[in-house]
Amino acid sequence: EAQVTQNPRYLITVTGKKLTVTCSQNMNHEYMSWYRQDPGLGLRQIYYSMNVEVTDKGDVPEGYKVSRKEKRNFPLILESPSPNQTSLYFCASLAGDRDTQYFGPGTRLTVL
Amino acid sequence: QKEVEQNSGPLSVPEGAIASLNCTYSDRGSQSFFWYRQYSGKSPELIMFIYSNGDKEDGRFTAQLNKASQYVSLLIRDSQPSDSATYLCAVNRSGATNKLIFGTGTLLAIQP
């Protein structure tokens, strides 16, 4: 089954404690992306990757890092989380130009 | 001005009626337009995409695009209670076909 998986699905942490949210896709897609979703602000892109070792900032990259060492994986790293990063995070992938974005199930992060 | 604007709703529609969801966008160079449905706490799922002016029909759903007016809409015929969800409009940034900008979504409530 074609899918995008994220882990963990729920996470409560404290300010400053480094964390990683994993994302994996089994569709051999080149393009992957991370979004955060906040009430009243909608889905906003954090980072995206066009292929292995190729990443770029989205609209709200501050406080986040990503890496793309393998085609299937695109982890999101919060080096020093802060309460304003409390949000619902989605990973997405698509095969190429104009293709459908497949979203992961989401990770609800709370930073205390 | 937001890049993609939607009325937040809620839009209340009787069961069996036509639901009409609207979206305007600011980037005249945008070429790809998407409608996603998102149930509460779940990830967005693609309903329709449209690239050319006019109408595109898929089952009970019709997407309408008017590039001159920078307007895209989604019609849902014979609305069912299961259509109750938030509908997200997404538009690509000109020159970046993989980079989607999402509206904040319209909450649709189908009344039995």
Side-chain angles (χ1 to χ4, degrees):
Chain A
E1 179 190 356
Q3 61 181 352
V4 178
T5 57
Q6 292 179 230
N7 282 292
R9 295 288 314 280
Y10 302 91
L11 179 60
I12 300 174
T13 188
V14 295
T15 299
K17 186 176 181 181
K18 181 179 178 180
L19 67 92
T20 299
V21 184
T22 64
C23 173
S24 184
Q25 50 95 2
N26 63 0
M27 295 167 280
N28 202 35
H29 287 170
E30 293 183 347
Y31 187 93
M32 297 184 74
S33 184
W34 275 103
Y35 294 89
R36 62 178 289 174
Q37 187 173 35
D38 303 288
L41 296 176
L43 275 162
R44 294 178 292 167
Q45 190 179 54
I46 303 170
Y47 268 94
Y48 64 96
S49 170
M50 302 290 282
N51 212 325
V52 175
E53 302 292 0
V54 181
T55 64
D56 206 350
K57 296 177 180 179
D59 295 317
V60 287
E62 295 77 20
Y64 304 95
K65 286 175 57 177
V66 293
S67 69
R68 189 88 181 275
K69 292 181 169 48
E70 308 166 277
K71 201 170 190 178
R72 63 182 290 124
N73 296 323
F74 189 42
L76 179 69
I77 303 157
L78 284 73
E79 294 269 3
S80 183
S82 62
N84 65 11
Q85 293 179 296
T86 292
S87 187
L88 179 59
Y89 291 86
F90 290 103
C91 180
S93 74
L94 76 165
D97 195 25
R98 282 185 158 186
D99 203 351
T100 304
Q101 289 213 40
Y102 293 85
F103 283 86
T107 295
R108 187 167 291 281
L109 172 65
T110 301
V111 183
L112 302 175
Chain B
Q1 181 189 6
K2 288 183 180 178
E3 290 184 84
V4 179
E5 294 212 53
Q6 296 180 255
N7 189 318
S8 62
L11 176 64
S12 185
V13 173
E15 183 176 355
I18 296 175
S20 178
L21 303 158
N22 305 314
C23 171
T24 59
Y25 60 95
S26 61
D27 187 345
R28 284 200 168 273
S30 296
Q31 297 293 323
S32 305
F33 307 87
F34 303 84
W35 282 100
Y36 285 83
R37 178 176 63 199
Q38 186 176 25
Y39 293 112
S40 180
K42 302 295 185 183
S43 56
E45 56 178 323
L46 185 70
I47 298 295
M48 295 279 293
F49 61 87
I50 185 167
Y51 304 141
S52 304
N53 275 331
D55 294 1
K56 179 182 179 182
E57 187 173 321
D58 184 1
R60 296 187 296 113
F61 299 95
T62 299
Q64 300 175 315
L65 175 61
N66 184 326
K67 289 185 179 179
S69 300
Q70 295 175 245
Y71 177 92
V72 58
S73 64
L74 179 70
L75 301 178
I76 306 174
R77 289 181 298 280
D78 188 23
S79 297
Q80 303 296 310
S82 60
D83 294 326
S84 297
T86 296
Y87 288 80
L88 306 175
C89 173
V91 176
N92 80 291
R93 275 215 179 110
S94 55
T97 51
N98 293 329
K99 193 168 178 61
L100 292 185
I101 307 301
F102 285 82
T104 54
T106 297
L107 178 61
L108 175 65
I110 305 300
Q111 305 301 322

